[in-house]
Amino acid sequence: YEIRLSLVGSEMCIRDRHPPCAARGLPAMTQGIAFFDFDDTLARGDSILPFLLYCIRKRISPRRQLVKAAGAFLYWKLRPSRASRAKSATLSFLKGRSADEMLDVARAFFRDEYLPRFYQDGLTELWSLRSQGMKLVVVSASPDVYMRALPEFMPIDAVLSTRCEVGGDGRYTGQVGENCKGEEKVRRIEQYLKENGFVLDMKCSSAYGDSPSDADMMALVNRAVLVNPKKALLRRRPDGIVVHWT
């Protein structure tokens, strides 16, 4: 069994060296999977602002990017459906940067800046589920410019996150794709299952999240775990298991 990192679209996955069952002409495999939100579920707080501040300190982004980010935040608050445009404005400094260069930056961001924000209870849960043979997938609205490095710091099999567009020259265009939130999380999960030849075993699968935007993902599985949940999620999933992680 060989573990290696492979880039599927803009999703960083850990896979064995064999192609998915569907790609080999074999029947789809029933698989138990645990799906996790990231911000405020596996790690404390929102991650995009800390990443931007890290890039400013490292002179990857100009300081004036903070002004753009503040404007983008206000725009998003007024028009939540335009989250992708707001993220494009916040991350516009990526334009022209090589994907390889930014992967190194992402690794440094997690290593030097973000590890203390990881919930230790969350890491314990990940290791426990892995020991039971579960696939572990993070499904997050955070941008993949840094989220694609996450499998190097957590025992997870795949990350499905908001895509930052990379051109044919291997450089970021500055554009951000559909925000991986709410119903988009479900679409991305369905795509992941199809590409890997999996049939989701709903009875033994689970989903972990903190906000109402995770409710659609939770509807896919039998076990919903509400991590430090917001009141709106408690109202939508009163049947969920409530945990308080630190």
Side-chain angles (χ1 to χ4, degrees):
Y1 186 82
E2 177 187 5
I3 299 233
R4 65 182 177 86
L5 288 176
S6 63
L7 192 60
V8 182
S10 57
E11 292 157 12
M12 184 64 73
C13 307
I14 297 178
R15 295 182 175 171
D16 63 32
R17 63 182 176 179
H18 303 293
C21 295
R24 305 201 310 268
L26 299 177
M29 178 173 59
T30 301
Q31 178 68 52
I33 303 176
F35 300 104
F36 289 82
D37 176 50
F38 182 69
D39 290 347
D40 278 327
T41 297
L42 286 172
R44 175 174 47 86
D46 189 87
S47 56
I48 191 168
L49 180 58
F51 178 72
L52 174 58
L53 292 173
Y54 180 81
C55 289
I56 289 172
R57 287 199 303 275
K58 296 299 181 180
R59 299 184 178 181
I60 297 164
S61 167
R63 290 185 178 275
R64 64 177 179 274
Q65 198 69 27
L66 275 176
V67 178
K68 284 189 177 182
F73 176 78
L74 292 174
Y75 179 81
W76 169 71
K77 282 293 185 182
L78 292 171
R79 306 188 70 176
S81 64
R82 300 296 182 88
S84 294
R85 178 180 287 188
K87 286 183 178 176
S88 290
T90 300
L91 299 171
S92 61
F93 71 92
L94 293 175
K95 186 175 182 179
R97 294 276 181 179
S98 109
D100 289 341
E101 171 199 2
M102 292 309 301
L103 180 56
D104 287 338
V105 171
R107 290 173 176 137
F109 167 66
F110 280 117
R111 183 181 62 246
D112 302 338
E113 182 85 8
Y114 220 70
L115 288 180
R117 289 177 177 251
F118 287 4
Y119 288 138
Q120 293 305 305
D121 293 329
L123 291 171
T124 299
E125 183 77 350
L126 288 171
W127 283 112
S128 175
L129 291 167
R130 178 170 285 286
S131 72
Q132 298 169 38
M134 296 284 285
K135 290 283 184 185
L136 306 177
V137 179
V138 170
V139 191
S140 172
S142 297
D144 67 356
V145 63
Y146 57 90
M147 288 297 291
R148 66 195 191 108
L150 188 62
E152 299 180 34
F153 299 91
M154 284 185 171
I156 56 177
D157 296 289
V159 177
L160 314 178
S161 55
T162 299
R163 293 180 173 116
C164 297
E165 185 180 272
V166 177
D169 60 355
R171 296 182 179 276
Y172 285 101
T173 66
Q175 297 301 307
V176 174
E178 187 70 28
N179 198 35
C180 189
K181 189 174 184 178
E183 292 181 0
E184 181 64 16
K185 288 194 174 189
V186 174
R187 285 191 284 270
R188 295 289 296 279
I189 288 170
E190 290 173 344
Q191 180 184 16
Y192 168 79
L193 294 174
K194 183 178 180 180
E195 288 178 351
N196 288 275
F198 294 147
V199 173
L200 184 64
D201 186 339
M202 294 180 63
K203 290 186 178 180
C204 72
S205 294
S206 54
Y208 297 70
D210 71 292
S211 75
S213 64
D214 298 314
D216 292 318
M217 175 175 72
M218 291 175 172
L220 295 175
V221 299
N222 185 56
R223 182 171 177 264
V225 182
L226 284 52
V227 181
N228 306 337
K230 296 176 175 62
K231 290 181 180 179
L233 179 59
L234 288 170
R235 288 194 294 268
R236 289 193 63 176
R237 291 304 305 252
D239 58 332
I241 301 166
V242 177
V243 297
H244 297 283
W245 285 354
T246 58

